[in-house]
Amino acid sequence: MQPFATIALVLILARATTELWLSRLNQRHVRAQTNEVPPPIREIIDEPTYRRSVDYTLAKSRFEDIANLFDAGLLIALLFSGVLAWAFERFSASFSTSILAMAGFLFVTGIALSIPGLPFAWYAQFKLEERFGFNTTTTRTWVLDRMKGFLLAVLLGYPLLALVLKLIEWTGVNWWLWAAALVIAFQLLLLFVAPAIIMPLFNKFTRLPEGVLRERLSALAQCTDFPTRSIQVMDGSKRSRHSNAFFTGFGRFRKIVLFDTLIMQLTERELESVLAHEIGHYKKRHVLKLLGVSIAGVPVAFAAIAWLARQQWFYRAFGFEHQGSLAAANAVPAMLLFALLAGTISFWVSPVVHIWSRRFEYAADAFARAAMGEAQPLIRALRKLSEKNLSNLIPHPLYSSFYYSHPTLLERERALRIAA
Ligand SMILES: [Zn+2]
């Protein structure tokens, strides 16, 4: 085995075993407290709901263990069987190594690699979520969602891939800088148009119906300088009983989206506090800051791909033949292998990213408390959200550091009370 192939194998196994170990740790942590409702959350959740949340957490966790093991096994089989290099050769022989054909190879491979995940996605939606009463997706909606996703990939993903490869021809050694600039421009464009054009392909967005709720939310939006027409209701109930709210987009296209399920579950005062939290994300420019980091990552990724594309050992490790540093066809295996292996590195960075995203949540909570003049409505809203979504209120701290982008309910309540 080539040394780099060994490194790749170690990276894949390290991630898979850590995921499995973290999951076991969390399952044991949850199971150890099933006899009675743990004291810190006794006043938050009743016994039957607590039991259901434990069952839901454990069922999801066991399912994810299987899915993770499957993914790792599939990745190892793909990388070390030589099937990718074989497919690349066959594809180049049949369709040439022109830019359009090479972009086609990346595109077709990407689609092919997404197929094994479909049964898992189907099971998660129609068995697991169904069992706990969350699923409202029909088979028709599920199939249509995937078809729309596929069409978007054809219309947006394929031309982008072709353009990136074309840049190698056009710009030579520094192609990766140009490619990074192109991808960043594409990301920015997407952020502008996604809320206006792409999201409505999947969901209906409507203005809040006239009435007390709209008046109260408008008043809050006005005193926090947020344009009211940007508050919209999304038919989340089309797919699930889970409830949520989020802030998205930029400039003219920015919006705060409230799930219809959330509106059904919360009182007006609680909804106001959730809206205030989302306005907090907007006011404190959290979307911009997150975008800044993801933009900074793009040139780093392309620099890595361009560098790997020049390394003979990288190609040999997975059975590819190297065909001269500046051939577009040469960057294609590097892009593919990079995409397949990136997750084995980014996994270890997730706790750092989560420390950062949790800071944003605390800041948005603090903003909401100040805007509302009290912490209680937000605390009640967060409690209801946890209850209705059967959230695990007592994750193992190490597990939550890897998987939770938000602080837990108890952590948020504590922060809201201390500041009050
Ligand atoms: Zn938030």
Side-chain angles (χ1 to χ4, degrees):
M1 209 181 213
Q2 303 274 345
F4 186 74
T6 315
I7 295 173
L9 184 62
V10 169
L11 282 172
I12 296 167
L13 291 176
R15 180 195 166 153
T17 43
T18 307
E19 282 194 308
L20 205 58
W21 176 72
L22 284 170
S23 166
R24 287 297 143 110
L25 193 68
N26 194 49
Q27 286 177 30
R28 265 205 304 277
H29 186 70
V30 170
R31 255 198 234 102
Q33 309 181 68
T34 42
N35 285 338
E36 50 169 7
V37 185
I41 56 172
R42 215 166 269 166
E43 57 157 323
I44 297 176
I45 192 169
D46 61 35
E47 171 113 24
T49 313
Y50 173 66
R51 298 225 169 272
R52 276 171 60 72
S53 82
V54 167
D55 288 345
Y56 184 51
T57 301
L58 293 175
K60 258 200 323 193
S61 184
R62 281 190 293 262
F63 171 74
E64 277 153 18
D65 289 349
I66 295 169
N68 285 338
L69 277 175
F70 177 83
D71 283 347
L74 182 68
L75 188 52
I76 290 172
L78 278 172
L79 288 176
F80 301 104
S81 66
V83 67
L84 290 175
W86 173 82
F88 184 63
E89 263 165 43
R90 293 303 303 264
F91 199 95
S92 321
S94 310
F95 303 101
S96 84
T97 51
S98 69
I99 299 293
L100 289 183
M102 288 293 94
F105 171 76
L106 281 176
F107 183 77
V108 171
T109 312
I111 297 292
L113 294 184
S114 71
I115 292 172
L118 288 177
F120 286 93
W122 185 87
Y123 184 90
Q125 190 63 39
F126 293 107
K127 295 286 168 187
L128 197 61
E129 291 290 297
E130 179 78 38
R131 207 173 108 206
F132 290 91
F134 286 124
N135 177 43
T136 55
T137 308
T138 60
T139 313
R140 183 171 177 272
T141 303
W142 194 84
V143 172
L144 273 177
D145 281 353
R146 261 110 206 121
M147 280 163 58
K148 288 176 198 167
F150 176 76
L151 277 177
L152 281 173
V154 174
L155 292 174
L156 301 174
Y158 177 71
L160 183 68
L161 281 172
L163 261 177
V164 165
L165 294 177
K166 203 77 193 157
L167 283 172
I168 301 177
E169 249 180 38
W170 287 340
T171 60
V173 200
N174 290 326
W175 72 270
W176 59 275
L177 269 173
W178 292 92
L182 173 72
V183 169
I184 289 169
F186 180 78
Q187 274 190 337
L188 289 175
L189 180 75
L190 214 56
L191 257 159
F192 274 104
V193 301
I197 299 171
I198 298 178
M199 284 159 58
L201 295 176
F202 293 88
N203 282 95
K204 264 203 201 79
F205 293 86
T206 45
R207 281 198 66 182
L208 278 166
E210 266 185 70
V212 189
L213 178 63
R214 179 151 128 193
E215 274 160 33
R216 286 181 79 157
L217 293 186
S218 298
L220 174 74
Q222 253 157 31
C223 70
T224 47
D225 270 341
F226 192 85
T228 354
R229 64 179 163 76
S230 309
I231 306 171
Q232 299 201 322
V233 183
M234 189 185 100
D235 59 344
S237 59
K238 180 180 168 185
R239 294 192 183 79
S240 167
R241 290 196 179 85
H242 283 299
S243 45
N244 207 348
F246 62 89
F247 173 82
T248 182
F250 272 112
R252 229 160 62 74
F253 296 113
R254 71 182 161 219
K255 43 174 137 176
I256 286 180
V257 176
L258 303 170
F259 282 38
D260 55 355
T261 41
L262 187 79
I263 293 180
M264 284 184 263
Q265 289 165 0
L266 301 186
T267 66
E268 282 164 9
R269 188 84 180 135
E270 290 158 5
L271 275 170
E272 253 181 276
S273 71
V274 171
L275 186 72
H277 171 98
E278 299 304 331
I279 293 177
H281 282 310
Y282 161 69
K283 284 275 172 192
K284 305 216 171 267
R285 301 182 175 277
H286 291 160
V287 177
L288 268 178
K289 287 174 186 167
L290 286 171
L291 181 73
V293 171
S294 96
I295 280 179
V298 176
V300 177
F302 273 106
I305 291 170
W307 181 77
L308 288 170
R310 291 197 298 270
Q311 313 305 318
Q312 304 267 357
W313 50 262
F314 180 64
Y315 282 75
R316 277 203 304 272
F318 303 105
F320 285 93
E321 255 172 68
H322 202 260
Q323 5 204 318
S325 294
L326 266 178
N330 210 36
V332 168
M335 283 185 198
L336 180 61
L337 293 169
F338 180 86
L340 289 174
L341 287 170
T344 62
I345 310 265
S346 65
F347 171 73
W348 303 100
V349 186
S350 51
V352 182
V353 177
H354 291 157
I355 289 177
W356 202 50
S357 66
R358 283 173 202 200
R359 266 198 210 150
F360 287 176
E361 293 310 319
Y362 286 128
D365 281 354
F367 180 91
R369 190 196 51 233
M372 301 290 294
E374 56 169 340
Q376 271 315 311
L378 185 59
I379 290 180
R380 281 200 308 272
L382 293 172
R383 284 184 177 190
K384 266 194 204 166
L385 273 171
S386 299
E387 182 202 320
K388 300 285 181 197
N389 290 312
L390 293 178
S391 310
N392 177 15
L393 296 181
I394 43 156
H396 191 281
L398 202 55
Y399 180 87
S400 78
S401 73
F402 271 88
Y403 296 102
Y404 282 41
S405 60
H406 286 50
T408 63
L409 176 64
L410 286 175
E411 288 166 335
R412 290 175 83 168
E413 283 198 12
R414 207 175 302 135
L416 277 165
R417 289 221 169 83
I418 287 172

